[in-house]
Amino acid sequence: MNFKQLEVWFITGSQHLYGEDTLKKVSEHSQQIASFLNKAEQISVSVVFKPTVKTPEEIFSICQEANASKSCVGIITWMHTFSPAKMWINGLKILQKPVLHLHTQFNRDIPWDSIDMDFMNLNQSAHGDREFGFMMTRMRLNRKVIVGFWQDEKVLKQIDTWVRAAAAWYDWQGAKFVRFGDNMRYVAVTEGDKVEAELQFGYSVNYHAIGDLVKVVNEVSDKSIDTLVKEYEEQYKLSDALKNGQRQSLREAAKIELGLRAFLEQGNFKGFADTFEDLHGLVQLPGLAVQRLMKDGYGFGAEGDWKTAALVRAMKVMATGLEGGNSFMEDYTYHFEPGNEMVLGAHMLEICESIADGKPSCEIHPLGIGGKADPVRLVFNVAGGPALNASLIDMGNRFRLLVNEVEAVKPQHDLPKLPVARVLWKPLPDMQTACTAWILGGGAHHTVYSQNLTSEHLADFAEIAGIEFLVIGKETKLHQFKNELRWNEVVYGNCK
């Protein structure tokens, strides 16, 4: 996405009580702040100044305009003076865009030698924002609150974190995800209420038979396949088997990618899910195709996991322009060496090359599941460093977003007989606590692995979406985590 085509509107609240001179100053200051935020390299989207709102009618009108705007992903509100919050009720009641409440003031420091009542009447954010904050709390409205001077580095980074979450939420509205086939038989966590998801999140998930995809795949031309195979040769280290005797398998992988890409483009889909139990008509499981489509921003979930497909897409949008990648992931197996416990994350084939450490190898190997021809896939390791795993799960009466902060580890040994993309990580705060908390929290075995997002990005996203959010990190204590789970059951009305 081109983030600079997206907008957040900077809206300042005041009232007519203070006279035109004060209101003129309010407008000048607001324009300066909005202009600074718009030019700040830390903030990804365009920040657009909007005239000061001083009456219920003006507030209602600007909220209507924000709702109708195709480029506005959210609004930043700031009360320069005191803005009686009852004026905001009707506007906030209809507002459908995310809100960031910036609790700041135009001047950083108190002008000790010159401060007078004129200065005090103009610079009333300290209590003007509290009045506004009360009303949003009274209305039980979700929002992000950021406190600090508007030029501070920390404030700018927090604004951008929220902006990215708002952009991902904007991208979900009206988005379409396709399921080829159904969920893997008897699996619980990949199920979910698609109607409730559309009501809660704004995206739709609909089924297409694998035959619908096969028809498009079979229409791919030999010329297009030739071009894509050449691209594979330039971008990856091709195994000897693909260079020589199994060349046709590489062409088949290219054919599947081209057909799958065309299907997604024709249907305006932003992501997809498939299952190895329903591949009738495809020669091989679409491994390489999925890896490359994820790199280009499509969401993906295996075994029919549409919730993870949608989350992959959202996190890729959130991370636009950031160094590192995001990928569909699965906790595959453990290393329980005392003092060096680790998780090996991988999947049969479908790990996004955006998280690869170095140039991936394009290889072909047997796959003992699915009953198809040997599939082509990218094989690579993943660099060490801070990362996280996120899981979106349907708890029956609400959706829960569960995050585990981790520390990825550079592979300490070669894995010559494991021909898949893989990553090693140490879950925080430690293996025992993290895995216990994850299981108690109902976390799925499918996740989205991120090298460039933080828990704050996902907390902001969950706040915008109005869903439960839980994080497992370096400060997590099991007793407290269990209590949080119990409290949330009361909050969401499912206490037994």
Side-chain angles (χ1 to χ4, degrees), residues 34 96 107 119 125 146 150 229 239 299 318 321 347 450 458 482 489 495:
Q96 298 169 353
N107 58 297
F119 180 93
S125 304
I146 296 177
W150 49 277
V229 167
S239 67
M318 259 183 268
H347 204 254
S450 177
L458 294 170
K482 288 179 182 179
E489 290 297 333
C495 185

Side-chain angles (χ1 to χ4, degrees), residues 209-220:
I210 195 69
D212 295 341
L213 172 61
V214 170
K215 181 177 183 298
V216 179
V217 170
N218 289 338
E219 293 171 352
V220 173

Side-chain angles (χ1 to χ4, degrees), residues 11 92 322 371 423:
I11 301 173
L92 293 174
L322 297 178
V423 55

Side-chain angles (χ1 to χ4, degrees), residues 237-247 361-364:
K237 298 178 288 187
L238 259 62
S239 67
D240 291 340
L242 291 176
K243 290 179 181 177
N244 302 311
Q246 293 178 286
R247 187 77 172 178
S361 174
C362 188
E363 304 177 11
I364 182 170

Side-chain angles (χ1 to χ4, degrees), residues 268-297:
N268 195 29
F269 295 109
K270 293 183 176 180
F272 63 102
D274 64 11
T275 174
F276 63 88
E277 290 180 328
D278 190 357
L279 294 172
H280 184 71
L282 291 181
V283 174
Q284 57 181 262
L285 195 151
L288 178 60
V290 172
Q291 291 177 293
R292 286 172 51 84
L293 285 164
M294 266 197 287
K295 180 198 69 172
D296 291 341

Side-chain angles (χ1 to χ4, degrees), residues 137-348:
T137 297
R138 175 68 175 80
M139 296 174 71
R140 274 61 171 185
L141 298 178
N142 295 336
R143 77 280 199 189
K144 173 81 170 184
V145 178
I146 296 177
V147 179
F149 184 55
W150 49 277
Q151 294 182 10
D152 286 351
E153 180 74 15
K154 181 179 179 180
V155 168
L156 296 175
K157 287 182 177 179
Q158 284 185 292
I159 292 174
D160 187 61
T161 295
W162 175 84
V163 157
R164 290 177 174 278
W169 179 252
Y170 168 87
D171 181 73
W172 262 10
Q173 306 313 299
K176 297 194 299 180
F177 295 88
V178 58
R179 289 189 310 144
F180 297 111
D182 205 341
N183 301 78
M184 181 179 173
R185 288 185 285 274
Y186 303 116
V187 176
V189 77
T190 55
E191 294 284 358
D193 189 334
K194 295 185 289 295
V195 174
E196 188 61 31
E198 189 164 354
L199 287 169
Q200 184 83 46
F201 300 129
Y203 64 74
S204 64
V205 182
N206 286 296
Y207 162 85
H208 273 271
I210 195 69
D212 295 341
L213 172 61
V214 170
K215 181 177 183 298
V216 179
V217 170
N218 289 338
E219 293 171 352
V220 173
S221 69
D222 287 339
K223 183 178 180 181
S224 298
I225 294 173
D226 292 340
T227 301
L228 186 53
V229 167
K230 184 177 180 181
E231 183 178 323
Y232 292 163
E233 293 171 335
E234 293 171 350
Q235 291 190 6
Y236 311 117
K237 298 178 288 187
L238 259 62
S239 67
D240 291 340
L242 291 176
K243 290 179 181 177
N244 302 311
Q246 293 178 286
R247 187 77 172 178
Q248 182 56 37
S249 295
L250 186 64
R251 293 182 61 81
E252 192 64 42
K255 182 179 179 181
I256 292 172
E257 179 185 337
L258 289 164
L260 183 51
R261 189 180 295 273
F263 189 98
L264 296 172
E265 290 175 352
Q266 291 166 15
N268 195 29
F269 295 109
K270 293 183 176 180
F272 63 102
D274 64 11
T275 174
F276 63 88
E277 290 180 328
D278 190 357
L279 294 172
H280 184 71
L282 291 181
V283 174
Q284 57 181 262
L285 195 151
L288 178 60
V290 172
Q291 291 177 293
R292 286 172 51 84
L293 285 164
M294 266 197 287
K295 180 198 69 172
D296 291 341
Y298 286 100
F300 171 75
E303 290 94 53
D305 191 350
W306 52 269
K307 297 188 298 299
T308 301
L311 187 59
V312 169
R313 168 67 185 189
M315 290 173 66
K316 282 186 172 289
V317 170
M318 259 183 268
T320 297
L322 297 178
E323 186 177 348
N326 292 267
S327 176
F328 172 79
M329 187 57 68
E330 181 171 278
D331 299 65
Y332 227 95
T333 195
Y334 290 148
H335 183 68
F336 273 133
E337 176 188 355
N340 190 34
E341 295 91 346
M342 292 181 289
V343 178
L344 191 152
H347 204 254
M348 294 186 296

